[in-house]
Amino acid sequence: MNDIAPEGELNARDQLIEAASQIMRDGDQVDLSLSELSLRSGLNSALVKYYFGNKQGLMLALLERDMRNIVNSLDALVAKDFSPDEKLRVHIRAVIGTYFRFPYLNRLLMRMVRDAAPEVSRKIADDYLVPISNAYKRLIDEGVQKGLFRPIDPGLFYFTVTGAADRFFSARLVLHHCFGQSEMTEQMRDDYADHTLDLIMPGLLSRNSA
Amino acid sequence: MNDIAPEGELNARDQLIEAASQIMRDGDQVDLSLSELSLRSGLNSALVKYYFGNKQGLMLALLERDMRNIVNSLDALVAKDFSPDEKLRVHIRAVIGTYFRFPYLNRLLMRMVRDAAPEVSRKIADDYLVPISNAYKRLIDEGVQKGLFRPIDPGLFYFTVTGAADRFFSARLVLHHCFGQSEMTEQMRDDYADHTLDLIMPGLLSRNSA
């Protein structure tokens, strides 16, 4: 029935979410067709209505799956007791790793913010954007208090970090469609993470700590 | 006829391009409907076929209008004789200013790269991405030779800069749909440019020059 080997153990609901994820990843887009979902998952597309109400409900469930993980990891990281700059390095590598696995994630987030009903947009903000923003604030504040970071706006810094990480998407598209290169490799991901950290961290560190 | 005041002087072809630009900007998307184009421009949508062949042709013409300017300005900047770090500051402010005016630009570029025929994707790469990439290489090389910059990968650096600039789009969407704030202001643009420069430049400058 389901020919996607690693997902053999998933239940039907999770299979649909995973199929949506793969369609967005492979197609470089955040649009879904029910027929492609059915083909990928090996499941009847009527199950979309059953589990998620409609296609937008499925897209929200995929967003929930991928974003929940980010929010939880970030909260756990902030609570740890190693130094703020090390926390930030770990976090930035994790963000780049996440966008490497789910290159559609930022576009899906923005699509939902744009197209969902106002109360759903607001819930997306409350569930993901506000907690992430608060975690950035705590992390930056901690670094400033310890004399490690210069004071910067955590909100703007969040946009810089996600912006840099999201470039994987552009890079992948350009490499694929313009230069015929098939896939981004893990080596490229790691090189880009190194590059991003080397570029961003000196601007964040205070003059004393740099 | 045409109720968009500042474009009163444009010819029909340019009016259609400007209407497409405004639709993408106001709607936070890169999709176009012919009826909305007609409504915005006050022109018969049959003119799209006449001037551009089809909707994709119009989207390419809009991309050409907005990207050509970037490529030309960047080439002119690189040829000037002030210091490489000052050139880069001017350039990064210009990129952020461009994405402020045309928040759809990166998505339009990626959409064209993804959806156009392979020869068109390749032409987009040759016309815009390769020249920009070459200009970055010359600019970084010049800074490294003068001992101002540490050696970094200009290609990765390009992704960092466009990534940071493109965040205006996300910020605007989130502010608008989640927090009911109507528009990004020029003050926010300038604050973000300052933030980006303060964050990125120290990581680029060599230890001696920093």
Side-chain angles (χ1 to χ4, degrees):
Chain A
M1 298 296 283
N2 171 27
D3 60 358
I4 305 161
E7 278 68 51
E9 307 299 317
L10 297 176
N11 62 32
R13 185 179 185 280
D14 290 344
Q15 278 180 41
L16 286 168
I17 294 175
E18 177 57 25
S21 173
Q22 293 184 7
I23 289 168
M24 291 184 187
R25 187 190 157 84
D26 294 350
D28 287 323
Q29 37 93 15
V30 294
D31 298 306
L32 287 176
S33 82
L34 289 177
S35 59
E36 199 176 353
L37 258 177
S38 177
L39 205 66
R40 281 263 185 173
S41 64
L43 296 167
N44 190 314
S45 64
L47 288 173
V48 171
K49 190 164 163 43
Y50 176 76
Y51 285 115
F52 309 101
N54 55 29
K55 213 158 58 174
Q56 197 187 56
L58 169 57
M59 288 164 80
L60 272 171
L62 172 60
L63 187 67
E64 168 78 22
R65 184 194 77 169
D66 294 348
M67 289 302 294
R68 176 57 45 208
N69 197 26
I70 294 180
V71 174
N72 292 348
S73 308
L74 182 55
D75 282 346
L77 183 68
V78 172
K80 285 208 161 85
D81 71 347
F82 49 90
S83 73
D85 61 320
E86 189 52 32
K87 285 182 192 175
L88 202 57
R89 287 176 195 277
V90 170
H91 170 65
I92 291 174
R93 281 195 191 281
V95 174
I96 291 176
T98 300
Y99 281 67
F100 178 74
R101 287 172 62 204
F102 311 123
Y104 55 80
L105 187 54
N106 194 56
R107 276 164 301 150
L108 178 62
L109 179 64
M110 292 305 130
R111 170 73 69 97
M112 293 286 101
V113 159
R114 189 191 78 192
D115 289 351
E119 65 274 15
V120 177
S121 291
R122 186 67 224 206
K123 185 169 158 37
I124 291 171
D126 290 344
D127 287 354
Y128 312 123
L129 300 172
V130 172
I132 291 173
S133 163
N134 289 341
Y136 268 68
K137 186 162 178 354
R138 287 205 303 281
L139 196 50
I140 300 290
D141 281 353
E142 189 192 350
V144 172
Q145 275 165 24
K146 292 192 173 170
L148 278 168
F149 298 164
R150 64 183 179 82
I152 66 163
D153 183 315
L156 297 182
F157 185 67
Y158 166 73
F159 286 120
T160 311
V161 170
T162 51
D166 193 35
R167 274 323 86 178
F168 265 117
F169 157 60
S170 297
R172 182 164 169 261
L173 269 179
V174 171
L175 291 172
H176 181 61
H177 293 282
C178 302
F179 300 103
Q181 194 168 326
S182 58
E183 267 303 322
M184 304 278 294
T185 63
E186 293 186 354
Q187 182 64 50
M188 290 161 82
R189 175 196 65 193
D190 295 343
D191 288 349
Y192 190 69
D194 289 342
H195 159 83
T196 302
L197 286 171
D198 288 347
L199 199 62
I200 285 179
M201 293 305 289
L204 179 62
L205 296 176
S206 69
R207 206 162 274 274
N208 299 334
S209 65
Chain B
M1 304 286 281
N2 172 27
D3 61 357
I4 305 161
E7 277 71 50
E9 307 299 316
L10 298 176
N11 62 32
R13 185 179 186 279
D14 290 344
Q15 279 180 41
L16 287 168
I17 294 175
E18 178 57 25
S21 173
Q22 293 185 8
I23 290 169
M24 290 182 187
R25 187 190 158 83
D26 295 350
D28 288 322
Q29 36 93 16
V30 294
D31 298 307
L32 288 176
S33 84
L34 289 178
S35 58
E36 199 178 354
L37 259 177
S38 177
L39 204 66
R40 282 262 185 174
S41 64
L43 295 168
N44 189 314
S45 64
L47 288 172
V48 171
K49 189 163 163 47
Y50 175 77
Y51 284 116
F52 308 102
N54 54 30
K55 212 156 60 173
Q56 198 186 56
L58 169 57
M59 290 164 80
L60 273 171
L62 173 60
L63 187 67
E64 168 76 21
R65 184 195 77 168
D66 295 347
M67 290 301 295
R68 175 57 47 209
N69 198 26
I70 294 179
V71 173
N72 292 348
S73 307
L74 183 56
D75 282 346
L77 183 68
V78 172
K80 285 208 162 84
D81 70 347
F82 48 89
S83 73
D85 60 322
E86 190 51 31
K87 285 182 193 173
L88 203 56
R89 287 176 195 277
V90 170
H91 170 65
I92 290 175
R93 280 193 193 281
V95 174
I96 291 175
T98 300
Y99 281 67
F100 178 73
R101 288 173 61 205
F102 311 123
Y104 55 80
L105 187 54
N106 194 56
R107 276 164 300 151
L108 178 62
L109 179 64
M110 292 305 128
R111 171 71 70 96
M112 293 286 100
V113 158
R114 188 191 77 192
D115 289 351
E119 65 276 14
V120 177
S121 290
R122 186 65 223 205
K123 183 167 160 36
I124 291 171
D126 290 344
D127 287 353
Y128 313 121
L129 301 171
V130 172
I132 291 174
S133 163
N134 289 342
Y136 267 69
K137 186 164 179 350
R138 287 204 303 281
L139 195 51
I140 300 289
D141 281 353
E142 191 192 349
V144 172
Q145 275 163 26
K146 293 192 172 169
L148 279 168
F149 298 164
R150 64 183 179 82
I152 66 163
D153 183 316
L156 296 184
F157 186 67
Y158 166 73
F159 286 119
T160 310
V161 170
T162 51
D166 193 35
R167 272 327 83 178
F168 266 116
F169 156 61
S170 297
R172 183 165 167 262
L173 268 179
V174 170
L175 290 173
H176 180 61
H177 293 282
C178 302
F179 300 105
Q181 194 167 327
S182 58
E183 266 305 321
M184 303 278 292
T185 63
E186 292 186 354
Q187 183 63 51
M188 289 162 82
R189 174 198 65 195
D190 295 343
D191 289 348
Y192 190 68
D194 289 343
H195 159 83
T196 302
L197 286 170
D198 288 348
L199 198 62
I200 286 179
M201 293 305 290
L204 179 62
L205 296 176
S206 69
R207 206 160 275 270
N208 300 334
S209 66

